[in-house]
Amino acid sequence: MEGIYPPSLRRGGAPRRFDEYYRCYPVAMLPGPDRNNVNYGGKVIMPPSALDKLTRLHISYPMMFELINGTKETMTHAGVLEFIAEEGKIYVPFWLMQVLALEPGDLLQVKSTDLPSGAFIKLQAQSTSFLDISDPKAVLENVFRNYSCLTTGDVFTFEYNDQTFDMAVLEVKPDTEKHAIVVLETDLEVDFATPVGYEEEQAKMKAAAAAAKSKGGSGTSTPGSSSAAGTLGLPAGGILHSQGSMAQAINYASIAPESAEAAAGAKAVSSNFLLGGQKLSSKRGSKAPTPSPSTPAAGMSSNQPAGRPVPPAAAARRRNGPQPLRLPPGKLFFGYAVKPVRKRGEAAPGDEPEKPRFLGQGQTLRAKK
């Protein structure tokens, strides 16, 4: 009788397992529309004959499989999403092909297996861009819905905000001989290791900050101040005063907001009676017209063509505040004075106190008795 029945049906025989070989292809080669959600997941697509065999073997749900590349001696685990592949083919996410070192068309062994529910997993981002995610645990909770299981050593991918992130699995618990856990319908604790490249970036930033501090002297200069100071002939971190060479070159004393020359020039330019009048007599006037201000004034552009004065309205609009500077390319000027904001009720410096009004004796039309 023992020779009639197969070993799986004998009393006390070992349970049968699903064990098949398929030609492996990436999900991108699956006929039909693009399915990025499958590519950023941990489930494969198998042929309908696999479902028929799994049903006859009474494989429990969720179905988990060992994926084995015998040529490269690599192994990992995955779930199944659908049974719509062509016979003899299996479609897997691209990251699984990289983990298994597979090429399209390679032979892949698929075995059914059982895995424990996960309690803990430690992950490591493969780039520092993962730190830009404000709530990584919430993002991964949503990502794990596309995965059935994860194995130590996997480097899976997921998409978030139109960016692709790579994540390595460093540790899982419970850690069995298969080093894999189920991440579906389980209370999973997630821990993160330092992302790859983070320490190198921190070291570069510290070195750059130390170099900038050593070049800056006092340490109060802003980035680029040392180069600008060298261009202007000033010490690093220095302040450009109104008596400096740059201020003299642009005639800063005449265009500063508090300059008396600038105020006088603005008044002269905005005056409608600047030009000389005409006499009725035939004699020429011996008095020359009022000369135009020799210094740049508020409301007056140095690029204004001769014979075309600035309109008074435009001059009035630009009378107050710093006047425009005409500097050659590659030069900057930081010489404007800083005026602190006055508190309410505080008098401005130089203002005279208000004199009392209506202090006269007054007059009356009635004669005094």
Side-chain angles (χ1 to χ4, degrees), residues 38-74:
V38 181
N39 200 33
Y40 296 113
K43 301 177 182 179
V44 300
I45 297 179
M46 302 174 68
S49 60
L51 176 60
D52 181 58
K53 188 172 183 178
L54 288 166
T55 304
R56 287 187 283 108
L57 293 175
H58 303 287
I59 302 297
S60 61
Y61 287 88
M63 297 180 181
M64 302 295 167
F65 300 93
E66 291 182 12
L67 307 181
I68 304 172
N69 182 5
T71 305
K72 301 292 185 179
E73 296 182 355
T74 55

Side-chain angles (χ1 to χ4, degrees), residues 182-205:
V182 177
V183 296
L184 288 175
E185 299 178 358
T186 180
D187 188 9
L188 188 64
E189 181 183 353
V190 181
D191 189 18
F192 294 99
T194 304
V196 175
Y198 177 77
E199 296 180 355
E200 290 79 359
E201 287 190 6
Q202 292 296 315
K204 290 180 180 179
M205 292 175 62

